[in-house]
Amino acid sequence: MHRFLDLADFSRDEIVSLLELARRLETHPEPRALAGRILGLVFFNPSLRTLASFQAGMARLGGSSFVVTPGQGTWQLETQLGAIMNGAAAEHVREGLPVLASYCDALGIRAFAEGKDLARDLAESQFGAMAEVIDKPLINLESAMNHPCQSLADWKTMDDLEVPRHAKFVLSWVQHPRALPLAVPSATVHMAAMRGMEVVVLRPDGYALPPAVMAKARAAAAVSGGSVRETSERSDALAGAQVIYAKEWGSTTHYGDAEGDAMLRARLADWCVTPQWFEPADPDCRLMHCLPVRRNVAITDAVLDGPRSIVRHEAYNRMTAQMAVLHRMLSQGA
Ligand code: CP
């Protein structure tokens, strides 16, 4: 495996095989598998799980890692092509990233959406320009529209807990003080469709996922035997749900317009997951969220601290799933 940028770059069978490797490494650890191998991690945006789980996973396989957060102890890196660099950034990613890649065997990059131009973010213009200058194996640590490591961990979490392949999976918009990127919801709807689930995207008006995102998920569902639909009707979506995956994201009708988005979301305070959300759901319905989460804004304490919540299991699986990616990418004979 040379790149891990999008689950859609792999067949369903390839993802299933990667998850089998993750389970094998859990039960049969290989503490020397990546001895002498180095992973570079570049974070243009904050992280808790991605940063710590990659470093821990690499160490558990016998490798090592370094972390660069541009502008925090290192030179600030310019990402815009054609920029006249007379501002804060001392170095361009076109020099900085190949230099970092030359020090390691694989590089991971986190670069969130610019959040101004939806078409540009959908095209992954910024991440694509960075990927272009790197000749080493590359991992997407969250880009404008994707978070494949989160999706792999979420898929594994549902397998671990024996959530049926064709279970009803509701990806629900939830409240947040400001607009957040579309990366996790876009990756999640695709992942669940690729797994073969009955996927419902529940979102208020103004927060529909872009048509290209829905079309990609529907294409995956057509192959896996799943389905994908969207609604703004909570009771319809939640009836019989076996998984509620809560996620915050910004308005797509007011993309890049913080004021317009704020006016819309001001009326949506009740989009916070409470125990009542589970009343029409399946009795065993689980609550998923990628974290970080704002308690009592997106999800209430009662749900997060209750037996339905599997958010910590998801976060733990960031490490186990990524270890499989690293192993396949960097072990001898890979
Ligand atoms: N879910 C996730 O990617 O967490 P971090 O932002 O903390 O890495």
Side-chain angles (χ1 to χ4, degrees), residues 314-328:
E314 289 176 80
Y316 162 72
N317 271 331
R318 292 296 307 277
M319 182 179 72
T320 63
Q322 289 157 195
M323 283 171 70
V325 172
L326 293 167
H327 192 284
R328 196 141 283 175

Side-chain angles (χ1 to χ4, degrees), residues 43 46-51 110 112 141-142 147 150 184 290-292 318:
F43 285 89
S47 168
L48 185 148
R49 279 144 291 274
T50 308
L51 189 155
R110 166 168 284 194
F112 288 174
L141 308 182
E142 187 173 340
H147 199 351
Q150 182 67 50
V184 171
C290 65
L291 303 182
R318 292 296 307 277

Side-chain angles (χ1 to χ4, degrees), residues 59-283:
R60 283 177 188 276
L61 290 168
S64 57
S65 54
F66 65 80
V67 176
V68 172
T69 50
Q72 295 177 40
T74 68
W75 303 116
Q76 194 162 318
L77 296 182
E78 176 61 58
T79 57
Q80 297 298 324
L81 294 175
I84 298 169
M85 291 177 53
N86 57 4
E91 183 162 11
H92 202 281
V93 289
R94 292 185 69 79
E95 284 76 47
L97 291 178
V99 167
L100 292 172
S102 74
Y103 302 148
C104 57
D105 300 294
L107 197 67
I109 299 177
R110 166 168 284 194
F112 288 174
E114 294 167 301
K116 296 172 193 154
D117 178 344
L118 181 56
R120 187 175 151 77
D121 287 339
L122 281 167
E124 294 282 15
S125 301
Q126 180 173 248
F127 197 92
M130 293 197 244
E132 195 181 281
V133 299
I134 294 161
D135 62 357
K136 290 284 174 65
L138 179 63
I139 303 171
N140 180 348
L141 308 182
E142 187 173 340
S143 61
M145 299 301 297
N146 221 319
H147 199 351
C149 298
Q150 182 67 50
S151 287
L152 193 66
D154 291 340
W155 187 324
K156 180 174 183 297
T157 303
M158 288 192 279
D159 287 356
D160 287 352
L161 298 173
E162 298 179 355
V163 174
R165 172 175 172 170
H166 296 300
K168 185 173 182 182
F169 180 99
V170 179
L171 168 65
S172 179
W173 185 90
V174 288
Q175 184 58 264
H176 191 274
R178 61 183 169 82
L180 292 188
L182 296 167
V184 171
S186 300
T188 302
V189 66
H190 174 264
M191 175 278 296
M194 191 178 184
R195 189 172 181 266
M197 305 184 82
E198 178 194 343
V199 183
V200 181
V201 181
L202 169 63
R203 80 292 180 278
D205 292 341
Y207 291 86
L209 293 177
V213 169
M214 295 300 288
K216 180 178 167 183
R218 287 196 175 103
V223 174
S224 68
S227 62
V228 179
R229 67 180 177 92
E230 58 187 325
T231 179
S232 56
E233 294 300 321
R234 199 177 296 164
S235 54
D236 164 39
L238 298 180
Q242 285 151 288
V243 175
I244 298 174
Y245 193 112
K247 185 67 191 93
E248 314 80 350
W249 67 86
S251 168
T252 41
T253 55
H254 291 78
Y255 199 80
D257 168 12
E259 262 182 40
D261 180 285
M263 282 172 64
L264 267 187
R265 72 178 55 238
R267 299 193 292 267
L268 301 171
D270 68 325
W271 286 74
C272 174
V273 182
T274 64
Q276 287 69 43
W277 282 45
F278 294 88
E279 285 171 5
D282 184 271

